[in-house]
Amino acid sequence: VSVTANNNFAGGVVIPTITNPTCSLSGDGSIYLNITPVDTYHYQWSTGDTTSFIINQNAGTFYVKITNTNNACVENTYTL
């Protein structure tokens, strides 16, 4: 797992839970993001997903932009 992340932004802390795929093309990797404090966050993943998680992923590098209700944002990179 490789993480290039700014885990703090606008008073929030991003806590990733990462599961690597069992093989590079097995499609069973996942990244779940938990952010404290609780607020309304908008997610835009490089996969097109807009939830706080991506599942069923092969090995690769994934980008996410997270924006809170005050339009503060952070961009993180995760590699499975």
Side-chain angles (χ1 to χ4, degrees), residues 6-63:
N6 178 359
N7 289 329
N8 298 298
F9 77 105
V13 178
V14 180
I15 304 165
T17 301
I18 298 170
T19 302
N20 281 316
T22 52
C23 296
S24 63
L25 297 176
S26 61
D28 57 356
S30 63
I31 304 169
Y32 288 84
L33 302 179
N34 184 26
I35 303 177
T36 58
V38 174
D39 193 356
T40 300
Y41 298 98
H42 301 280
Y43 303 85
Q44 185 60 58
W45 290 90
S46 54
T47 60
D49 291 289
T50 57
T51 59
S52 62
F53 59 91
I54 54 174
I55 59 173
N56 301 325
Q57 299 300 313
N58 293 324
T61 300
F62 303 91
Y63 308 93

